[in-house]
Every structure is written in C-alpha cells, then in structure tokens.
Amino acid sequence: MPSSAQLAELLDPATTALLTVECQQGVVGEDSALPELACEARESGALDNVARLVAAAHAASVQVLHAVAERRPDGRGAGRNARLFRAAERLPVLQLSGTRAVRVAPPIEVAEEDLVVRRLHGLSPIAGTDVDPLLRNLGCRTLIVTGVSANVAIPNAVFDAVNLGYTAVVPADAIAGVPADYTPVMIRNTLSLVATVTATEDVLGAWKGAR
C-alpha cells in the first residue's frame, strides 16, 4: 500500500480519471438481469462506495467515465463466441440500447461533464471502445477502476489499462463479484500484481487536499 503522500501524488486530479464499469440498472439495479451480482454489489457497500468516489471526483475536478455494456434489439454486432454472451441472450432483462437497463444506476450521479462510453461487443470496457483515446486526449496517466464484476470486466479493464501504459488503481471496496469470497482472493492473487490496491477512504483522503 502506498503512503498517503504517494497516493495523493498518484491521484493528481489533473492526470487521473475514474472509471465506473457496468454500474447500470440492468446489472446492479433493482431489476437486474444478474440478481446475485446486484445483491452483492449493494450489500457489500461497493455500489455506495462507487457513488462516493464519483461525487468526490466531481468535487475535485477528476474526470469520470461510465462504461456501459449494451446490445441492439436485433443483436447485430454482438459476440456469440463465449458461453457468457450466449447466456446473456436468454436472461430475463436484456441490456438493450436506449432502455432503462443501460442507464447508470442510483446512487451514482452522472454529471454533465462525465463521459458515458457504450460498447456493443466484447468483455472489456476499454479494448475496442473509445476509452483509451478519450483518456489520452484528457492527459490521463492514472485510471481508477470501480464497479462490476470482479469475475470478468474489472480484471479486463485493469489488464487493458496496464497494457496501454496507464497506472491502474483499484479501491478494493468499490468493486464486487460473485461469490462474495471470490473478490478478495482475485484482488490478492491477481490485481495486486499489476495495480495499486487501495480503499475508498484513502482515495477520498487523497482528493480532499486537491479541492
């Protein structure tokens, strides 16, 4: 774990962005297609912590990006080359473009200056999307990754960020996956090897002096 001074330097608002991953109604909301994941995101406090981080980012002038996964009603362009994709087609709630399911879920507040990046294919919120060029144009060097799920999209985002040259930061209490005991194991044995693992309170503390 970095010291408070090191974390504050790493999270300089001028060069840091906060990414929320699939924190949308159809994933973590009350009418989720994945109720077990939605329950874990809420009961663990992860979703509330994402909302706190987003609010603090707004106050500290840190750029916020919301990565949303969706599909066209006709499924055009969506992948079928993985079991996960095929299973998603049969879920009772589909992440259809333009529907409530793909809106960012409460209690997260989307500000006018936030960027919402939508994808129709793949597993990653970064690879094959506009996230990387947007971050580069913004002068971002550190990317804070939050949201769901610790099973698939979060590791994808962290690996992609590191491979693209960003420093990845993961507040461990602002991500969630299933089962509940999988997330800390994955953080300890995988994400900690490539990202700076911290906590929501530490990120909030680093930004207090920047306001």
PDB file of all heavy atoms in Angstrom, residues 21 123-126 145-163 168 170 175-177 182-183 186-187 190-191 194-195:
ATOM      1  N   VAL A  21     -17.552   0.755 -14.052  1.00  0.00           N
ATOM      2  CA  VAL A  21     -17.733  -0.343 -15.004  1.00  0.00           C
ATOM      3  C   VAL A  21     -19.078  -1.036 -14.790  1.00  0.00           C
ATOM      4  O   VAL A  21     -19.345  -1.573 -13.704  1.00  0.00           O
ATOM      5  CB  VAL A  21     -16.586  -1.365 -14.882  1.00  0.00           C
ATOM      6  CG1 VAL A  21     -16.806  -2.530 -15.845  1.00  0.00           C
ATOM      7  CG2 VAL A  21     -15.240  -0.695 -15.150  1.00  0.00           C
ATOM      8  N   LEU A 123     -15.740  -8.184 -23.894  1.00  0.00           N
ATOM      9  CA  LEU A 123     -15.757  -8.315 -22.444  1.00  0.00           C
ATOM     10  C   LEU A 123     -15.160  -7.119 -21.723  1.00  0.00           C
ATOM     11  O   LEU A 123     -15.341  -6.973 -20.524  1.00  0.00           O
ATOM     12  CB  LEU A 123     -14.963  -9.567 -22.034  1.00  0.00           C
ATOM     13  CG  LEU A 123     -15.473 -10.914 -22.556  1.00  0.00           C
ATOM     14  CD1 LEU A 123     -14.436 -11.994 -22.290  1.00  0.00           C
ATOM     15  CD2 LEU A 123     -16.803 -11.264 -21.913  1.00  0.00           C
ATOM     16  N   SER A 124     -14.417  -6.294 -22.450  1.00  0.00           N
ATOM     17  CA  SER A 124     -13.667  -5.224 -21.809  1.00  0.00           C
ATOM     18  C   SER A 124     -14.308  -3.860 -21.985  1.00  0.00           C
ATOM     19  O   SER A 124     -14.763  -3.518 -23.073  1.00  0.00           O
ATOM     20  CB  SER A 124     -12.243  -5.168 -22.358  1.00  0.00           C
ATOM     21  OG  SER A 124     -11.556  -4.033 -21.847  1.00  0.00           O
ATOM     22  N   PRO A 125     -14.313  -3.050 -20.926  1.00  0.00           N
ATOM     23  CA  PRO A 125     -14.792  -1.686 -21.058  1.00  0.00           C
ATOM     24  C   PRO A 125     -13.794  -0.770 -21.745  1.00  0.00           C
ATOM     25  O   PRO A 125     -14.102   0.384 -22.038  1.00  0.00           O
ATOM     26  CB  PRO A 125     -15.005  -1.242 -19.606  1.00  0.00           C
ATOM     27  CG  PRO A 125     -14.367  -2.244 -18.746  1.00  0.00           C
ATOM     28  CD  PRO A 125     -13.992  -3.425 -19.554  1.00  0.00           C
ATOM     29  N   ILE A 126     -12.583  -1.267 -22.015  1.00  0.00           N
ATOM     30  CA  ILE A 126     -11.542  -0.426 -22.623  1.00  0.00           C
ATOM     31  C   ILE A 126     -11.201  -0.883 -24.039  1.00  0.00           C
ATOM     32  O   ILE A 126     -11.272  -0.096 -24.988  1.00  0.00           O
ATOM     33  CB  ILE A 126     -10.272  -0.403 -21.744  1.00  0.00           C
ATOM     34  CG1 ILE A 126     -10.596   0.236 -20.383  1.00  0.00           C
ATOM     35  CG2 ILE A 126      -9.144   0.354 -22.443  1.00  0.00           C
ATOM     36  CD1 ILE A 126      -9.430   0.295 -19.419  1.00  0.00           C
ATOM     37  N   VAL A 145     -10.251   2.156 -11.321  1.00  0.00           N
ATOM     38  CA  VAL A 145     -11.241   1.224 -11.857  1.00  0.00           C
ATOM     39  C   VAL A 145     -12.188   0.786 -10.749  1.00  0.00           C
ATOM     40  O   VAL A 145     -11.750   0.268  -9.713  1.00  0.00           O
ATOM     41  CB  VAL A 145     -10.559  -0.004 -12.489  1.00  0.00           C
ATOM     42  CG1 VAL A 145     -11.592  -0.971 -13.043  1.00  0.00           C
ATOM     43  CG2 VAL A 145      -9.604   0.435 -13.611  1.00  0.00           C
ATOM     44  N   THR A 146     -13.492   0.978 -10.979  1.00  0.00           N
ATOM     45  CA  THR A 146     -14.509   0.613  -9.986  1.00  0.00           C
ATOM     46  C   THR A 146     -15.664  -0.101 -10.677  1.00  0.00           C
ATOM     47  O   THR A 146     -15.806  -0.038 -11.895  1.00  0.00           O
ATOM     48  CB  THR A 146     -15.068   1.862  -9.277  1.00  0.00           C
ATOM     49  OG1 THR A 146     -15.803   2.661 -10.227  1.00  0.00           O
ATOM     50  CG2 THR A 146     -13.962   2.706  -8.672  1.00  0.00           C
ATOM     51  N   GLY A 147     -16.512  -0.763  -9.901  1.00  0.00           N
ATOM     52  CA  GLY A 147     -17.732  -1.346 -10.455  1.00  0.00           C
ATOM     53  C   GLY A 147     -17.750  -2.859 -10.439  1.00  0.00           C
ATOM     54  O   GLY A 147     -17.233  -3.502  -9.527  1.00  0.00           O
ATOM     55  N   VAL A 148     -18.347  -3.441 -11.483  1.00  0.00           N
ATOM     56  CA  VAL A 148     -18.527  -4.894 -11.565  1.00  0.00           C
ATOM     57  C   VAL A 148     -18.184  -5.384 -12.978  1.00  0.00           C
ATOM     58  O   VAL A 148     -18.182  -4.603 -13.927  1.00  0.00           O
ATOM     59  CB  VAL A 148     -19.990  -5.277 -11.241  1.00  0.00           C
ATOM     60  CG1 VAL A 148     -20.338  -4.906  -9.808  1.00  0.00           C
ATOM     61  CG2 VAL A 148     -20.985  -4.615 -12.192  1.00  0.00           C
ATOM     62  N   SER A 149     -17.906  -6.650 -13.093  1.00  0.00           N
ATOM     63  CA  SER A 149     -17.762  -7.584 -12.000  1.00  0.00           C
ATOM     64  C   SER A 149     -16.297  -7.950 -11.827  1.00  0.00           C
ATOM     65  O   SER A 149     -15.519  -7.903 -12.768  1.00  0.00           O
ATOM     66  CB  SER A 149     -18.561  -8.862 -12.269  1.00  0.00           C
ATOM     67  OG  SER A 149     -17.929  -9.652 -13.270  1.00  0.00           O
ATOM     68  N   ALA A 150     -15.982  -8.327 -10.583  1.00  0.00           N
ATOM     69  CA  ALA A 150     -14.624  -8.791 -10.299  1.00  0.00           C
ATOM     70  C   ALA A 150     -14.317 -10.086 -11.025  1.00  0.00           C
ATOM     71  O   ALA A 150     -13.158 -10.475 -11.146  1.00  0.00           O
ATOM     72  CB  ALA A 150     -14.460  -8.987  -8.791  1.00  0.00           C
ATOM     73  N   ASN A 151     -15.347 -10.745 -11.542  1.00  0.00           N
ATOM     74  CA  ASN A 151     -15.155 -12.006 -12.257  1.00  0.00           C
ATOM     75  C   ASN A 151     -14.591 -11.793 -13.659  1.00  0.00           C
ATOM     76  O   ASN A 151     -13.747 -12.560 -14.122  1.00  0.00           O
ATOM     77  CB  ASN A 151     -16.485 -12.759 -12.373  1.00  0.00           C
ATOM     78  CG  ASN A 151     -17.130 -13.004 -11.036  1.00  0.00           C
ATOM     79  OD1 ASN A 151     -17.721 -12.097 -10.469  1.00  0.00           O
ATOM     80  ND2 ASN A 151     -17.016 -14.212 -10.517  1.00  0.00           N
ATOM     81  N   VAL A 152     -15.079 -10.763 -14.371  1.00  0.00           N
ATOM     82  CA  VAL A 152     -14.729 -10.612 -15.783  1.00  0.00           C
ATOM     83  C   VAL A 152     -14.306  -9.185 -16.144  1.00  0.00           C
ATOM     84  O   VAL A 152     -13.158  -8.930 -16.499  1.00  0.00           O
ATOM     85  CB  VAL A 152     -15.902 -11.055 -16.692  1.00  0.00           C
ATOM     86  CG1 VAL A 152     -15.539 -10.862 -18.172  1.00  0.00           C
ATOM     87  CG2 VAL A 152     -16.265 -12.517 -16.441  1.00  0.00           C
ATOM     88  N   ALA A 153     -15.235  -8.240 -16.083  1.00  0.00           N
ATOM     89  CA  ALA A 153     -14.978  -6.911 -16.647  1.00  0.00           C
ATOM     90  C   ALA A 153     -13.917  -6.126 -15.887  1.00  0.00           C
ATOM     91  O   ALA A 153     -13.127  -5.394 -16.506  1.00  0.00           O
ATOM     92  CB  ALA A 153     -16.278  -6.104 -16.704  1.00  0.00           C
ATOM     93  N   ILE A 154     -13.870  -6.234 -14.571  1.00  0.00           N
ATOM     94  CA  ILE A 154     -12.879  -5.478 -13.802  1.00  0.00           C
ATOM     95  C   ILE A 154     -11.452  -5.935 -14.116  1.00  0.00           C
ATOM     96  O   ILE A 154     -10.591  -5.103 -14.428  1.00  0.00           O
ATOM     97  CB  ILE A 154     -13.183  -5.553 -12.291  1.00  0.00           C
ATOM     98  CG1 ILE A 154     -14.504  -4.858 -11.964  1.00  0.00           C
ATOM     99  CG2 ILE A 154     -12.033  -4.946 -11.485  1.00  0.00           C
ATOM    100  CD1 ILE A 154     -14.548  -3.375 -12.268  1.00  0.00           C
ATOM    101  N   PRO A 155     -11.150  -7.244 -14.063  1.00  0.00           N
ATOM    102  CA  PRO A 155      -9.799  -7.652 -14.454  1.00  0.00           C
ATOM    103  C   PRO A 155      -9.468  -7.262 -15.886  1.00  0.00           C
ATOM    104  O   PRO A 155      -8.336  -6.858 -16.186  1.00  0.00           O
ATOM    105  CB  PRO A 155      -9.799  -9.179 -14.275  1.00  0.00           C
ATOM    106  CG  PRO A 155     -11.001  -9.516 -13.500  1.00  0.00           C
ATOM    107  CD  PRO A 155     -11.942  -8.367 -13.543  1.00  0.00           C
ATOM    108  N   ASN A 156     -10.448  -7.385 -16.788  1.00  0.00           N
ATOM    109  CA  ASN A 156     -10.224  -6.969 -18.170  1.00  0.00           C
ATOM    110  C   ASN A 156      -9.794  -5.513 -18.230  1.00  0.00           C
ATOM    111  O   ASN A 156      -8.845  -5.155 -18.928  1.00  0.00           O
ATOM    112  CB  ASN A 156     -11.518  -7.143 -18.980  1.00  0.00           C
ATOM    113  CG  ASN A 156     -11.536  -8.407 -19.809  1.00  0.00           C
ATOM    114  OD1 ASN A 156     -11.203  -8.392 -20.985  1.00  0.00           O
ATOM    115  ND2 ASN A 156     -11.932  -9.486 -19.199  1.00  0.00           N
ATOM    116  N   ALA A 157     -10.517  -4.655 -17.512  1.00  0.00           N
ATOM    117  CA  ALA A 157     -10.219  -3.225 -17.533  1.00  0.00           C
ATOM    118  C   ALA A 157      -8.832  -2.942 -16.973  1.00  0.00           C
ATOM    119  O   ALA A 157      -8.078  -2.136 -17.528  1.00  0.00           O
ATOM    120  CB  ALA A 157     -11.278  -2.461 -16.743  1.00  0.00           C
ATOM    121  N   VAL A 158      -8.493  -3.593 -15.876  1.00  0.00           N
ATOM    122  CA  VAL A 158      -7.187  -3.363 -15.252  1.00  0.00           C
ATOM    123  C   VAL A 158      -6.064  -3.818 -16.174  1.00  0.00           C
ATOM    124  O   VAL A 158      -5.086  -3.093 -16.398  1.00  0.00           O
ATOM    125  CB  VAL A 158      -7.101  -4.073 -13.891  1.00  0.00           C
ATOM    126  CG1 VAL A 158      -5.680  -4.029 -13.340  1.00  0.00           C
ATOM    127  CG2 VAL A 158      -8.072  -3.429 -12.900  1.00  0.00           C
ATOM    128  N   PHE A 159      -6.180  -5.012 -16.730  1.00  0.00           N
ATOM    129  CA  PHE A 159      -5.137  -5.514 -17.632  1.00  0.00           C
ATOM    130  C   PHE A 159      -4.991  -4.611 -18.850  1.00  0.00           C
ATOM    131  O   PHE A 159      -3.874  -4.286 -19.272  1.00  0.00           O
ATOM    132  CB  PHE A 159      -5.453  -6.938 -18.086  1.00  0.00           C
ATOM    133  CG  PHE A 159      -5.395  -7.966 -16.990  1.00  0.00           C
ATOM    134  CD1 PHE A 159      -6.214  -9.082 -17.026  1.00  0.00           C
ATOM    135  CD2 PHE A 159      -4.531  -7.826 -15.922  1.00  0.00           C
ATOM    136  CE1 PHE A 159      -6.166 -10.031 -16.023  1.00  0.00           C
ATOM    137  CE2 PHE A 159      -4.476  -8.773 -14.908  1.00  0.00           C
ATOM    138  CZ  PHE A 159      -5.305  -9.881 -14.963  1.00  0.00           C
ATOM    139  N   ASP A 160      -6.110  -4.199 -19.431  1.00  0.00           N
ATOM    140  CA  ASP A 160      -6.045  -3.338 -20.607  1.00  0.00           C
ATOM    141  C   ASP A 160      -5.409  -1.999 -20.272  1.00  0.00           C
ATOM    142  O   ASP A 160      -4.611  -1.467 -21.049  1.00  0.00           O
ATOM    143  CB  ASP A 160      -7.443  -3.125 -21.190  1.00  0.00           C
ATOM    144  CG  ASP A 160      -7.970  -4.342 -21.916  1.00  0.00           C
ATOM    145  OD1 ASP A 160      -7.154  -5.217 -22.262  1.00  0.00           O
ATOM    146  OD2 ASP A 160      -9.190  -4.430 -22.130  1.00  0.00           O
ATOM    147  N   ALA A 161      -5.776  -1.437 -19.133  1.00  0.00           N
ATOM    148  CA  ALA A 161      -5.200  -0.154 -18.728  1.00  0.00           C
ATOM    149  C   ALA A 161      -3.682  -0.268 -18.573  1.00  0.00           C
ATOM    150  O   ALA A 161      -2.931   0.586 -19.063  1.00  0.00           O
ATOM    151  CB  ALA A 161      -5.833   0.316 -17.419  1.00  0.00           C
ATOM    152  N   VAL A 162      -3.236  -1.319 -17.911  1.00  0.00           N
ATOM    153  CA  VAL A 162      -1.798  -1.512 -17.702  1.00  0.00           C
ATOM    154  C   VAL A 162      -1.089  -1.748 -19.041  1.00  0.00           C
ATOM    155  O   VAL A 162      -0.021  -1.176 -19.309  1.00  0.00           O
ATOM    156  CB  VAL A 162      -1.552  -2.678 -16.728  1.00  0.00           C
ATOM    157  CG1 VAL A 162      -0.065  -3.027 -16.657  1.00  0.00           C
ATOM    158  CG2 VAL A 162      -2.073  -2.322 -15.338  1.00  0.00           C
ATOM    159  N   ASN A 163      -1.680  -2.562 -19.898  1.00  0.00           N
ATOM    160  CA  ASN A 163      -1.072  -2.830 -21.199  1.00  0.00           C
ATOM    161  C   ASN A 163      -0.968  -1.578 -22.060  1.00  0.00           C
ATOM    162  O   ASN A 163      -0.083  -1.469 -22.914  1.00  0.00           O
ATOM    163  CB  ASN A 163      -1.867  -3.902 -21.947  1.00  0.00           C
ATOM    164  CG  ASN A 163      -1.636  -5.289 -21.386  1.00  0.00           C
ATOM    165  OD1 ASN A 163      -0.599  -5.568 -20.810  1.00  0.00           O
ATOM    166  ND2 ASN A 163      -2.629  -6.156 -21.523  1.00  0.00           N
ATOM    167  N   ALA A 168      -2.939   1.667 -13.043  1.00  0.00           N
ATOM    168  CA  ALA A 168      -4.280   1.290 -12.592  1.00  0.00           C
ATOM    169  C   ALA A 168      -4.346   1.321 -11.073  1.00  0.00           C
ATOM    170  O   ALA A 168      -3.435   0.852 -10.385  1.00  0.00           O
ATOM    171  CB  ALA A 168      -4.644  -0.097 -13.096  1.00  0.00           C
ATOM    172  N   VAL A 170      -7.102   0.364  -7.930  1.00  0.00           N
ATOM    173  CA  VAL A 170      -8.345  -0.346  -7.634  1.00  0.00           C
ATOM    174  C   VAL A 170      -8.706  -0.168  -6.164  1.00  0.00           C
ATOM    175  O   VAL A 170      -8.020  -0.705  -5.289  1.00  0.00           O
ATOM    176  CB  VAL A 170      -8.226  -1.847  -7.952  1.00  0.00           C
ATOM    177  CG1 VAL A 170      -9.524  -2.570  -7.588  1.00  0.00           C
ATOM    178  CG2 VAL A 170      -7.882  -2.075  -9.414  1.00  0.00           C
ATOM    179  N   ILE A 175     -15.412  -2.516  -5.776  1.00  0.00           N
ATOM    180  CA  ILE A 175     -15.670  -3.492  -6.835  1.00  0.00           C
ATOM    181  C   ILE A 175     -16.387  -4.681  -6.208  1.00  0.00           C
ATOM    182  O   ILE A 175     -16.294  -4.901  -4.997  1.00  0.00           O
ATOM    183  CB  ILE A 175     -14.390  -3.964  -7.560  1.00  0.00           C
ATOM    184  CG1 ILE A 175     -13.488  -4.770  -6.627  1.00  0.00           C
ATOM    185  CG2 ILE A 175     -13.632  -2.797  -8.166  1.00  0.00           C
ATOM    186  CD1 ILE A 175     -12.317  -5.444  -7.352  1.00  0.00           C
ATOM    187  N   ALA A 176     -17.103  -5.436  -7.026  1.00  0.00           N
ATOM    188  CA  ALA A 176     -17.842  -6.597  -6.499  1.00  0.00           C
ATOM    189  C   ALA A 176     -17.911  -7.688  -7.549  1.00  0.00           C
ATOM    190  O   ALA A 176     -17.871  -7.424  -8.757  1.00  0.00           O
ATOM    191  CB  ALA A 176     -19.245  -6.197  -6.066  1.00  0.00           C
ATOM    192  N   GLY A 177     -18.002  -8.920  -7.068  1.00  0.00           N
ATOM    193  CA  GLY A 177     -18.167 -10.079  -7.936  1.00  0.00           C
ATOM    194  C   GLY A 177     -18.861 -11.176  -7.163  1.00  0.00           C
ATOM    195  O   GLY A 177     -19.221 -10.991  -5.997  1.00  0.00           O
ATOM    196  N   TYR A 182     -14.927 -14.581  -3.632  1.00  0.00           N
ATOM    197  CA  TYR A 182     -14.031 -14.627  -4.781  1.00  0.00           C
ATOM    198  C   TYR A 182     -13.282 -13.311  -4.951  1.00  0.00           C
ATOM    199  O   TYR A 182     -12.087 -13.302  -5.300  1.00  0.00           O
ATOM    200  CB  TYR A 182     -14.816 -14.936  -6.060  1.00  0.00           C
ATOM    201  CG  TYR A 182     -13.982 -14.837  -7.311  1.00  0.00           C
ATOM    202  CD1 TYR A 182     -13.064 -15.826  -7.631  1.00  0.00           C
ATOM    203  CD2 TYR A 182     -14.086 -13.736  -8.160  1.00  0.00           C
ATOM    204  CE1 TYR A 182     -12.278 -15.730  -8.767  1.00  0.00           C
ATOM    205  CE2 TYR A 182     -13.306 -13.636  -9.294  1.00  0.00           C
ATOM    206  CZ  TYR A 182     -12.409 -14.635  -9.600  1.00  0.00           C
ATOM    207  OH  TYR A 182     -11.627 -14.524 -10.713  1.00  0.00           O
ATOM    208  N   THR A 183     -13.953 -12.196  -4.709  1.00  0.00           N
ATOM    209  CA  THR A 183     -13.360 -10.887  -4.982  1.00  0.00           C
ATOM    210  C   THR A 183     -12.056 -10.650  -4.220  1.00  0.00           C
ATOM    211  O   THR A 183     -11.045 -10.286  -4.840  1.00  0.00           O
ATOM    212  CB  THR A 183     -14.371  -9.764  -4.699  1.00  0.00           C
ATOM    213  OG1 THR A 183     -15.517  -9.960  -5.539  1.00  0.00           O
ATOM    214  CG2 THR A 183     -13.774  -8.397  -5.002  1.00  0.00           C
ATOM    215  N   MET A 186      -9.256 -12.795  -5.719  1.00  0.00           N
ATOM    216  CA  MET A 186      -8.815 -12.314  -7.012  1.00  0.00           C
ATOM    217  C   MET A 186      -7.965 -11.052  -6.869  1.00  0.00           C
ATOM    218  O   MET A 186      -6.947 -10.886  -7.542  1.00  0.00           O
ATOM    219  CB  MET A 186     -10.032 -12.040  -7.902  1.00  0.00           C
ATOM    220  CG  MET A 186      -9.715 -11.716  -9.350  1.00  0.00           C
ATOM    221  SD  MET A 186      -9.373  -9.969  -9.613  1.00  0.00           S
ATOM    222  CE  MET A 186     -10.933  -9.249  -9.131  1.00  0.00           C
ATOM    223  N   ILE A 187      -8.348 -10.175  -5.960  1.00  0.00           N
ATOM    224  CA  ILE A 187      -7.564  -8.953  -5.727  1.00  0.00           C
ATOM    225  C   ILE A 187      -6.178  -9.311  -5.211  1.00  0.00           C
ATOM    226  O   ILE A 187      -5.161  -8.810  -5.700  1.00  0.00           O
ATOM    227  CB  ILE A 187      -8.291  -8.033  -4.727  1.00  0.00           C
ATOM    228  CG1 ILE A 187      -9.557  -7.453  -5.354  1.00  0.00           C
ATOM    229  CG2 ILE A 187      -7.369  -6.905  -4.264  1.00  0.00           C
ATOM    230  CD1 ILE A 187     -10.436  -6.703  -4.374  1.00  0.00           C
ATOM    231  N   THR A 190      -4.238 -11.601  -8.037  1.00  0.00           N
ATOM    232  CA  THR A 190      -4.154 -11.153  -9.427  1.00  0.00           C
ATOM    233  C   THR A 190      -3.989  -9.640  -9.537  1.00  0.00           C
ATOM    234  O   THR A 190      -2.951  -9.155  -9.985  1.00  0.00           O
ATOM    235  CB  THR A 190      -5.396 -11.609 -10.219  1.00  0.00           C
ATOM    236  OG1 THR A 190      -5.501 -13.038 -10.132  1.00  0.00           O
ATOM    237  CG2 THR A 190      -5.286 -11.213 -11.684  1.00  0.00           C
ATOM    238  N   LEU A 191      -4.988  -8.889  -9.114  1.00  0.00           N
ATOM    239  CA  LEU A 191      -4.943  -7.443  -9.331  1.00  0.00           C
ATOM    240  C   LEU A 191      -3.801  -6.774  -8.580  1.00  0.00           C
ATOM    241  O   LEU A 191      -3.219  -5.799  -9.070  1.00  0.00           O
ATOM    242  CB  LEU A 191      -6.277  -6.805  -8.940  1.00  0.00           C
ATOM    243  CG  LEU A 191      -7.488  -7.200  -9.782  1.00  0.00           C
ATOM    244  CD1 LEU A 191      -8.680  -6.307  -9.443  1.00  0.00           C
ATOM    245  CD2 LEU A 191      -7.189  -7.143 -11.267  1.00  0.00           C
ATOM    246  N   VAL A 194      -0.580  -6.134 -10.521  1.00  0.00           N
ATOM    247  CA  VAL A 194      -0.480  -5.197 -11.642  1.00  0.00           C
ATOM    248  C   VAL A 194      -1.066  -3.818 -11.333  1.00  0.00           C
ATOM    249  O   VAL A 194      -0.841  -2.872 -12.100  1.00  0.00           O
ATOM    250  CB  VAL A 194      -1.180  -5.766 -12.902  1.00  0.00           C
ATOM    251  CG1 VAL A 194      -0.460  -7.008 -13.383  1.00  0.00           C
ATOM    252  CG2 VAL A 194      -2.649  -6.069 -12.636  1.00  0.00           C
ATOM    253  N   ALA A 195      -1.812  -3.688 -10.241  1.00  0.00           N
ATOM    254  CA  ALA A 195      -2.465  -2.416  -9.924  1.00  0.00           C
ATOM    255  C   ALA A 195      -2.131  -1.996  -8.501  1.00  0.00           C
ATOM    256  O   ALA A 195      -1.704  -2.803  -7.674  1.00  0.00           O
ATOM    257  CB  ALA A 195      -3.983  -2.558 -10.070  1.00  0.00           C
TER     258      ALA A 195
END
